[in-house]
């Protein structure tokens, strides 16, 4: 069952932009490989070529010394090469079971064998630790559950080479540990696994070897245990990285309350949530998947129905019934769902950037030159890697899409910024840049709220952290109380 993979002199061009430059390396069979690199390094593109979603402009790929060139992902899956995408590739209107077997439906004579597919889907869901009815429509799932469905679907394909692109970006530590147990079992069964991640602690924990790419080129392959996390990070960015988080500067004692929320309730998700955040403060929100953090803020911004709650800004009552109202009042919200609610990936970069401020660029005709100038400035300020400012957002790597989304929701110059998983899918060098940008926003007197599943991120960045569990706000911890143990204890109810 085990299969080796070899890339020979792979080039890839998107129009005039070359994104892969003669990549060559081999992956011997039956091991777990971590693929590292900054956003735009070419990791995902290379793996999409291997799995039939993209085609190389030049070069060859061999499986067990057999030359292959897959015309489609279906053909690749037929050979046992399966990719779990960084971005969800699910049909929202279909059920979980229908998504798992989409394109590979089981039949009984002329008819679909729905019963067999539901039974097998339930078995795959159990393997990934997701306890839901296989008939549940995917549109009813939260982000983390959709990720687990993606993994279950990959298991149904009986992969010999399984490629995972940022599979834990939405998962809790418990779900991540369960996934690692599954990966170890697959490895024992002879599957070759490729694990793309920016989380160096996970790379260290689960992989046997690492492959580093930079600027579309292969840099090195090495045993994981031969490198420290710091050395991995340095190889990724090609320079020494230090001081991951900026030094915390507490807000002034007399800083006014920028946003006060009292008794906010979102039916089915959270109840009686109250908090304040001051100008110049970074307030974090921690909690397990399903704790209701994202849904609470979607309710606050009018993206979900709320049944109770009052909001004031700078001491004045305000009404936030729609995101548009919020933007006009100086509040912006960057969703954790980058493609679904953050960006219009079929539109251009500048169009995405200026979407929240069209009245600023239309007099009444749209000032295209001003839009292009704004995009050029954002490209430099946020480190967005693209060779073409006129490109569509879908052409960017996942991490660069995240940077564009961040630029978009900061473009209206808000007083209060709510960032939901702001560094998801972002490499270690870009993470540091974003942390310093968030710190700078607070230093400018803005109030920043960070919702994150990464405890180290919350501890290193925030002045205070509110912890939610099962739709309730459990506690708010000050800087001197911020430890992983303390946050986990409150999030799990074991404090």
């Amino acid at each position: 069952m085990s299969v080796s993979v070899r890339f020979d002199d792979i080039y890839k061009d998107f129009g005039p932009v070359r994104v892969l430059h003669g990549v060559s390396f081999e992956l011997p069979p039956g091991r777990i490989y971590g693929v590292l690199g900054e956003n735009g390094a070419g990791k995902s593109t290379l793996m999409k070529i291997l799995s039939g979603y993209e085609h190389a402009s030049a070069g060859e790929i061999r499986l067990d010394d057999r030359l292959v060139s897959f015309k489609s992902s279906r053909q690749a899956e037929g050979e046992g090469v399966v990719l779990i995408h960084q971005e969800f590739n699910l049909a929202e209107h279909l059920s979980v079971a229908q998504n798992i077997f989409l394109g590979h439906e089981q039949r009984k004579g002329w008819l679909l064998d729905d019963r067999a597919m539901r039974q097998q889907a339930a078995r795959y869901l159990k393997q990934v630790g997701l306890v839901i009815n296989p008939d549940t429509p995917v549109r009813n799932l939260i982000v983390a559950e959709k990720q687990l469905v993606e993994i279950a679907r990959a298991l149904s394909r009986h992969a010999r080479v399984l490629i995972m692109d940022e599979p834990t970006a939405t998962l809790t530590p418990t779900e991540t540990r369960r996934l690692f147990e599954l990966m170890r079992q697959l490895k024992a069964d002879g599957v070759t696994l490729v694990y793309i991640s920016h989380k160096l602690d996970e790379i260290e924990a689960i992989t046997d070897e690492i492959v580093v790419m930079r600027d579309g080129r292969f840099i090195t392959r090495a045993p994981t245990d031969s490198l420290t996390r710091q050395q991995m990070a340095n190889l990724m960015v090609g320079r020494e990285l230090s001081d991951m988080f900026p030094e915390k500067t507490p807000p002034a004692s007399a800083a006014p309350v920028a946003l006060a929320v009292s008794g906010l309730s979102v039916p089915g998700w959270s109840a009686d949530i109250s908090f304040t955040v001051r100008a110049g403060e970074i307030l974090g929100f921690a909690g397990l998947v399903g704790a209701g953090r994202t849904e609470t803020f979607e309710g606050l911004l009018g993206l979900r129905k709320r049944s109770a709650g009052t909001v004031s800004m700078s001491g004045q009552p305000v009404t936030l019934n729609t995101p548009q109202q919020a933007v006009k009042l100086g509040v912006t919200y960057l969703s954790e769902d980058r493609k679904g609610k953050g960006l219009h990936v079929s539109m251009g970069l500048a169009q995405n950037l200026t979407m929240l401020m069209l009245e600023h660029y239309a007099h009444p005709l749209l000032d295209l030159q001003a839009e292009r100038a704004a995009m050029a400035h954002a490209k430099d300020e946020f480190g967005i890697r693209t060779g073409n400012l006129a490109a569509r957002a879908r052409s960017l790597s996942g991490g660069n899409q995240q940077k564009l989304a961040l630029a978009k929701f900061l473009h209206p110059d808000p007083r209060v910024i709510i960032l939901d998983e702001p560094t998801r899918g972002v490499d270690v060098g870009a993470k540091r840049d974003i942390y310093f940008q968030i710190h700078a926003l607070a230093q400018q007197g803005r109030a920043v709220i960070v919702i994150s599943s990464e405890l180290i991120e919350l501890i290193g960045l925030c002045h205070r952290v509110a912890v939610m569990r099962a739709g309730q706000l459990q506690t708010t911890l000050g800087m001197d109380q911020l430890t992983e143990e303390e946050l986990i204890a409150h999030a799990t109810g074991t404090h």
Side-chain angles (χ1 to χ4, degrees):
M1 181 180 181
S2 296
V3 60
S4 65
V5 180
R6 193 169 85 216
F7 300 96
D8 286 329
D9 208 25
I10 300 293
Y11 287 84
K12 177 61 179 177
D13 301 326
F14 288 108
V17 180
R18 174 156 290 177
V19 296
L20 293 177
H21 303 261
V23 175
S24 299
F25 61 88
E26 185 172 0
L27 302 177
R31 295 174 69 75
I32 303 177
Y33 297 94
V35 180
L36 300 175
E38 289 190 278
N39 298 127
K43 312 179 297 297
S44 296
T45 299
L46 183 66
M47 294 306 152
K48 285 178 180 178
I49 292 171
L50 172 59
S51 54
Y53 288 92
E54 296 283 356
H55 303 104
S57 301
E60 296 178 341
I61 296 177
R62 296 178 182 274
L63 299 182
D64 283 342
D65 291 327
R66 180 169 57 89
L67 183 65
V68 296
S69 179
F70 299 127
K71 293 181 172 60
S72 67
S73 59
R74 186 181 180 89
Q75 186 183 8
E77 289 179 358
E79 291 284 341
V81 180
V82 179
L83 169 66
I84 299 174
H85 292 265
Q86 181 179 2
E87 305 290 351
F88 299 138
N89 199 26
L90 300 171
E92 293 275 323
H93 63 289
L94 297 181
S95 72
V96 169
Q98 288 168 333
N99 268 279
I100 288 175
F101 288 98
L102 188 61
H104 297 263
E105 291 82 1
Q106 297 188 4
R107 297 181 180 274
K108 183 185 290 185
W110 291 96
L111 302 176
L112 294 178
D113 193 344
D114 290 320
R115 182 179 178 184
M117 288 190 285
R118 281 196 296 270
Q119 290 176 341
Q120 292 188 40
R123 189 173 75 248
Y124 293 126
L125 293 170
K126 184 178 180 181
Q127 277 187 271
V128 300
L130 183 55
V131 183
I132 58 170
N133 187 329
D135 289 329
T136 304
V138 164
R139 63 172 173 268
N140 294 346
L141 304 184
I142 63 174
V143 171
E145 290 171 337
K146 291 178 182 179
Q147 182 66 75
L148 292 173
V149 171
E150 286 276 22
I151 296 169
R153 182 166 67 172
L155 294 180
S156 76
R157 304 297 193 258
H158 307 294
R160 295 193 298 158
V161 178
L162 180 57
I163 306 157
M164 299 181 167
D165 195 349
E166 299 284 354
T168 65
T170 64
L171 303 185
T172 65
T174 300
E175 290 164 336
T176 298
R177 285 193 293 273
R178 188 181 293 119
L179 174 62
F180 285 180
E181 291 170 7
L182 178 61
M183 290 173 65
R184 292 186 183 100
Q185 182 58 54
L186 291 171
K187 173 187 169 183
D189 293 341
V191 178
T192 302
L193 294 106
V194 178
Y195 188 80
I196 303 173
S197 179
H198 295 120
K199 298 181 180 180
L200 299 184
D201 56 334
E202 294 182 2
I203 292 289
E204 190 175 61
I206 193 60
T207 66
D208 300 307
E209 296 184 46
I210 65 159
V211 171
V212 180
M213 293 182 65
R214 190 191 314 139
D215 298 327
R217 294 175 171 83
F218 169 75
I219 300 301
T220 190
R221 184 183 124 205
T224 304
D225 58 11
S226 70
L227 297 169
T228 65
R229 293 184 203 174
Q230 184 67 49
Q231 289 171 324
M232 293 181 197
N234 293 344
L235 284 168
M236 286 170 59
V237 301
R239 62 185 187 277
E240 191 75 25
L241 276 180
S242 60
D243 301 325
M244 193 68 179
F245 295 97
E247 185 177 347
K248 290 184 186 179
T249 306
S253 57
V257 172
L259 177 71
V261 175
S262 179
L264 179 65
S265 295
V266 179
W269 290 103
S270 61
D272 196 24
I273 304 296
S274 300
F275 64 90
T276 62
V277 58
R278 293 187 291 162
E281 182 180 25
I282 303 173
L283 173 65
F285 269 77
L288 303 180
V289 169
R293 296 168 300 163
T294 292
E295 294 76 16
T296 295
F297 282 93
E298 288 182 342
L300 174 65
L301 275 294
L303 290 166
R304 287 179 183 268
K305 182 179 179 181
R306 60 177 184 264
S307 57
T310 59
V311 182
S312 64
M313 295 183 66
S314 301
Q316 299 298 314
V318 297
T319 300
L320 302 178
N321 288 329
T322 66
Q324 292 82 2
Q325 278 185 329
V327 170
K328 289 180 180 179
L329 289 167
V331 182
T332 59
Y333 168 64
L334 172 58
S335 170
E336 66 171 344
D337 185 358
R338 178 169 62 224
K339 284 178 68 175
K341 298 173 183 174
L343 296 174
H344 293 267
V345 295
S346 61
M347 297 176 68
L349 307 185
Q351 291 170 304
N352 271 282
L353 176 71
T354 62
M355 191 170 295
L356 299 179
M357 294 186 65
L358 282 179
E359 69 278 4
H360 178 76
Y361 291 92
H363 312 287
L365 298 179
L366 194 61
D367 189 340
L368 297 179
Q369 185 175 351
E371 266 199 335
R372 286 191 291 268
M375 187 60 229
H377 178 75
K379 175 180 179 288
D380 293 337
E381 182 179 1
F382 292 88
I384 300 168
R385 290 191 174 194
T386 177
N388 181 9
L389 289 178
R392 296 183 188 274
R394 68 158 58 97
S395 69
L396 298 180
S397 68
N400 280 299
Q401 286 182 3
Q402 183 74 349
K403 294 178 188 178
L404 176 62
L406 186 61
K408 170 184 174 179
F409 287 94
L410 291 177
H411 195 51
D413 196 24
R415 291 182 290 155
V416 179
I417 306 105
I418 303 166
L419 304 173
D420 197 346
E421 304 291 356
T423 63
R424 176 174 293 164
V426 171
D427 66 69
V428 64
K431 272 190 178 184
R432 183 181 184 275
D433 294 340
I434 290 175
Y435 295 153
F436 276 78
Q437 286 168 344
I438 292 172
H439 176 76
L441 293 170
Q443 289 292 98
Q444 294 164 12
R446 306 172 202 266
V448 185
I449 295 172
V450 176
I451 306 165
S452 179
S453 300
E454 295 193 32
L455 299 184
I456 293 299
E457 183 166 279
L458 294 172
I459 293 167
L461 195 58
C462 299
H463 299 110
R464 293 184 299 140
V465 175
V467 185
M468 290 184 64
R469 178 169 61 87
Q472 301 285 331
L473 184 56
Q474 300 297 310
T475 189
T476 301
L477 304 174
M479 276 197 296
D480 58 344
Q481 300 171 291
L482 294 181
T483 65
E484 287 190 76
E485 294 76 16
E486 192 77 10
L487 290 172
I488 290 172
H490 285 289
T492 58
T494 58
H495 191 269

